[in-house]
Amino acid sequence: MKKTALLLSVWMGSLCATISQENHAPVLPVDPVNQATLLGVGKSFLNDTYLSPLKYSGISIALMHDRIKGTSYFNGNLLLQQQFLIQTAITKNPTASASEYYGNLDYRLTGFYPLFAGGNLRIYGGGGLEASLGGVYNTRNSNNPGSLKVSTNLNLSAMAIYNWKSFTFRWQLATPFAGIFFSPEYGHSYYEIFQLGNNKGTVHFGSFHNQQALRNYFSVDIPMQRMTIRAAYLGDYYKTDVNELITRIVTHQFMIGLAVESLNIGGKRVRNNPSLPSVYY
């Protein structure tokens, strides 16, 4: 009996130690990610004096992916945002006798640091990089029907997040303060630039004196039973004034999509984390 009791005690102690180790196994840190994909419809206004002195207006459609993740930088306070935006527009001149088509790809990487946190309000400030590639095509012109739009900038940005009941509101502003952009000279054809190599004076340093831009983004997250709907307004203003040419592109779009919150897990963090069992590894 004594041997049986001793063996039983050893077995129970080993079992408790194993359970204790499992319950207190180290949990590797993971980064939370909030992301949403939204579809937008609205109005665009185009004015490119390289193509036409007239202003064109019409419908615009956009697709945006917005991703904000936590990081380990600055004691875990820094947020990293990525925005990828595809914009298209079909516009007409005031007499509807000609059309202009607009398309643009825009990518932004922005870091945000908290400046204020009190109650349900958080305010962030930051900056980052932006790269944009697009163009405008005019159906009336035969010699120079298109205008290329390429730029890369350093941006300043601010963001405010407010929680009210079950809704989350976000307001974000961004503007470039330094960068480079492409613009031909007045009467400078793209045949000369790309075929003959006469590209002098087409790449310009951009700042507030010749390039002004502002992105105004406001969104509200509406939680449902099994999903979160994000409704948003996106306003983009872009203007350049160089080589006696003025480009002004303005868009107003109302967007809607789904937002999800997830954990960014990869590498050894998913393989060695007992609290997050993988269905694949």
Side-chain angles (χ1 to χ4, degrees), residues 61-227:
I61 300 175
L63 180 66
M64 183 173 72
H65 183 72
D66 183 21
R67 184 177 189 269
I68 297 179
K69 70 182 293 288
T71 70
S72 59
Y73 303 110
F74 296 97
N75 295 323
N77 291 317
L78 186 71
L79 300 180
L80 193 64
Q81 181 191 49
Q82 296 185 70
Q83 276 189 344
F84 184 77
L85 178 67
I86 303 175
Q87 284 185 323
T88 61
I90 302 175
T91 63
K92 293 185 178 295
N93 62 12
T95 60
S97 58
S99 300
E100 279 188 350
Y101 300 97
Y102 169 68
N104 189 63
L105 302 176
D106 183 83
Y107 174 77
R108 302 187 180 203
L109 178 65
T110 308
F112 286 101
Y113 186 81
L115 303 178
F116 172 82
N120 296 323
L121 177 65
R122 289 165 288 160
I123 299 177
Y124 299 84
L129 301 172
E130 174 201 358
S132 181
L133 171 64
V136 181
Y137 177 79
N138 190 294
T139 59
R140 169 168 288 184
N141 297 354
S142 57
N143 188 23
N144 293 319
S147 180
L148 182 65
K149 306 299 176 187
V150 181
S151 65
T152 180
N153 290 288
L154 298 174
N155 287 356
L156 296 174
S157 190
M159 180 173 67
I161 299 177
Y162 181 74
N163 293 316
W164 179 72
K165 296 184 178 180
S166 59
F167 303 99
T168 300
F169 299 88
R170 172 155 62 108
W171 183 33
Q172 186 174 334
L173 293 172
T175 183
F177 68 92
I180 56 175
F181 66 94
F182 172 87
S183 177
E185 296 181 347
Y186 184 80
H188 199 181
S189 70
Y190 283 85
Y191 176 79
E192 295 179 65
I193 297 172
F194 295 107
Q195 296 294 326
L196 303 181
N198 182 17
N199 52 16
K200 184 179 180 180
T202 59
V203 179
H204 308 270
F205 170 75
S207 191
F208 300 112
H209 66 289
N210 61 1
Q211 177 185 241
Q212 300 91 42
L214 181 68
R215 171 167 291 183
N216 186 12
Y217 180 61
F218 178 81
S219 69
V220 54
D221 283 15
I222 307 169
M224 310 294 285
Q225 186 175 2
R226 295 183 179 273
M227 65 181 66

Side-chain angles (χ1 to χ4, degrees), residues 218-251:
F218 178 81
S219 69
V220 54
D221 283 15
I222 307 169
M224 310 294 285
Q225 186 175 2
R226 295 183 179 273
M227 65 181 66
T228 299
I229 296 176
R230 177 169 295 176
Y233 161 78
L234 178 67
D236 267 324
Y237 174 85
Y238 182 77
K239 177 186 176 182
T240 60
D241 186 353
V242 67
N243 290 344
E244 301 181 19
L245 296 174
I246 295 177
T247 296
R248 185 182 291 106
I249 301 172
V250 181
T251 60

